[in-house]
């Protein structure tokens, strides 16, 4: 039986920490679905379509990583996609408390779905999408927080080398 995990989030934008978790998760799972949650009430920093394009560009060429969108509960998305696990990253003890409570609710809703936590690598423990958004908003050089090889000017509208 194939071991499939869903890595859910808004990924606005995807960070080097997210990429690291997926890469490390592939040592545990046969396939990882990066599940990009759709929230009609929330307008993101990057347009939704551009977020999807960015995530797909990060994992292009890796047939074990799929990118899909969903508008329902994460555990229901797991069931729909044959996933038995949810993959989550932990940067801090505050992350643990928050993620633990979500994992417990998910387990109550769908007992067959387990949540697996991976600790962020030390170099990514301070990296969050909100931090990256702020650096980009003020036209700073956020490249060290993002996956390598991203067309920064295309996705974010400026070239940090020309600042």
């Amino acid at each position: 039986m194939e071991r499939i995990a869903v890595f859910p989030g808004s990924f606005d934008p995807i960070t080097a920490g997210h990429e690291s978790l997926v890469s490390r998760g592939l040592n545990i799972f046969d396939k990882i679905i990066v599940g990009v949650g759709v929230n009609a009430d929330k307008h993101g920093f990057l347009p939704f379509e551009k977020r999807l394009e960015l995530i797909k560009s990060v994992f292009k060429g890796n047939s074990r990583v799929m990118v899909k969108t969903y508008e329902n509960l994460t555990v229901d998305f797991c069931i729909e996609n044959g996933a038995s696990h949810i993959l989550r990253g932990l940067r801090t003890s505050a992350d643990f408390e928050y993620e633990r409570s979500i994992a417990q609710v998910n387990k109550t809703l769908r007992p067959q779905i387990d949540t697996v936590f991976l600790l962020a690598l030390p170099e990514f423990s301070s990296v969050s999408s909100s931090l990256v958004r702020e650096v980009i908003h003020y036209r700073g050089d956020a490249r060290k927080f993002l996956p390598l090889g991203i067309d920064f000017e295309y996705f974010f509208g400026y070239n940090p080398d020309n600042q």
Side-chain angles (χ1 to χ4, degrees), residues 46-115:
L46 282 176
F48 191 75
E49 295 74 24
K50 210 158 204 176
R51 269 189 273 158
L52 292 176
E53 187 181 353
L54 177 57
I55 298 164
K56 287 176 182 177
S57 77
V58 169
F59 298 109
K60 96 176 155 206
N62 189 333
S63 62
R64 295 175 58 206
V65 179
M66 297 170 21
V67 181
K68 293 186 174 188
T69 63
Y70 69 103
E71 298 184 48
N72 53 346
L73 291 172
T74 300
V75 288
D76 292 339
F77 180 70
C78 288
I79 300 293
E80 291 167 5
N81 287 278
S84 55
H85 293 83
I86 297 171
L87 175 64
R88 297 299 294 160
L90 300 174
R91 294 171 298 148
T92 66
S93 58
D95 281 354
F96 172 74
E97 289 303 325
Y98 175 75
E99 294 291 345
R100 180 182 56 82
S101 63
I102 293 171
Q104 288 174 329
V105 168
N106 285 338
K107 193 68 172 165
T108 300
L109 292 172
R110 297 282 183 249
Q112 67 271 43
I113 305 295
D114 282 316
T115 300

Side-chain angles (χ1 to χ4, degrees), residues 6 35-36 40 45 49 67 70 74 96 101 104 113 115 119 122 127 133 141 145 152 160 162:
V6 167
V36 185
F45 175 73
E49 295 74 24
V67 181
Y70 69 103
T74 300
F96 172 74
S101 63
Q104 288 174 329
I113 305 295
T115 300
L119 296 178
V127 178
R133 283 193 303 270
D141 188 354
F145 309 118
F152 201 90
N162 296 336

Side-chain angles (χ1 to χ4, degrees), residues 3-67:
R3 293 166 302 170
I4 302 172
V6 167
F7 182 43
S10 60
F11 305 102
D12 191 22
I14 189 169
T15 68
H18 294 133
E19 179 188 33
S20 168
L21 283 170
V22 170
S23 296
R24 293 169 51 221
L26 289 172
N27 292 323
I28 302 167
F29 300 104
D30 299 312
K31 223 180 245 180
I32 295 179
I33 300 168
V34 178
V36 185
V38 176
N39 185 341
D41 298 329
K42 200 173 175 183
H43 297 289
F45 175 73
L46 282 176
F48 191 75
E49 295 74 24
K50 210 158 204 176
R51 269 189 273 158
L52 292 176
E53 187 181 353
L54 177 57
I55 298 164
K56 287 176 182 177
S57 77
V58 169
F59 298 109
K60 96 176 155 206
N62 189 333
S63 62
R64 295 175 58 206
V65 179
M66 297 170 21
V67 181

Side-chain angles (χ1 to χ4, degrees), residues 98-160:
Y98 175 75
E99 294 291 345
R100 180 182 56 82
S101 63
I102 293 171
Q104 288 174 329
V105 168
N106 285 338
K107 193 68 172 165
T108 300
L109 292 172
R110 297 282 183 249
Q112 67 271 43
I113 305 295
D114 282 316
T115 300
V116 173
F117 299 108
L118 289 180
L119 296 178
L121 295 177
E123 59 266 32
F124 302 126
S125 64
S126 64
V127 178
S128 67
S129 290
S130 54
L131 173 126
V132 173
R133 283 193 303 270
E134 187 162 347
V135 172
I136 292 169
H137 175 78
Y138 291 106
R139 301 179 71 80
D141 188 354
R143 289 178 293 192
K144 56 186 94 42
F145 309 118
L146 296 167
L148 294 175
I150 287 176
D151 184 340
F152 201 90
E153 195 160 6
Y154 173 76
F155 285 107
F156 303 111
Y158 69 99
N159 183 339

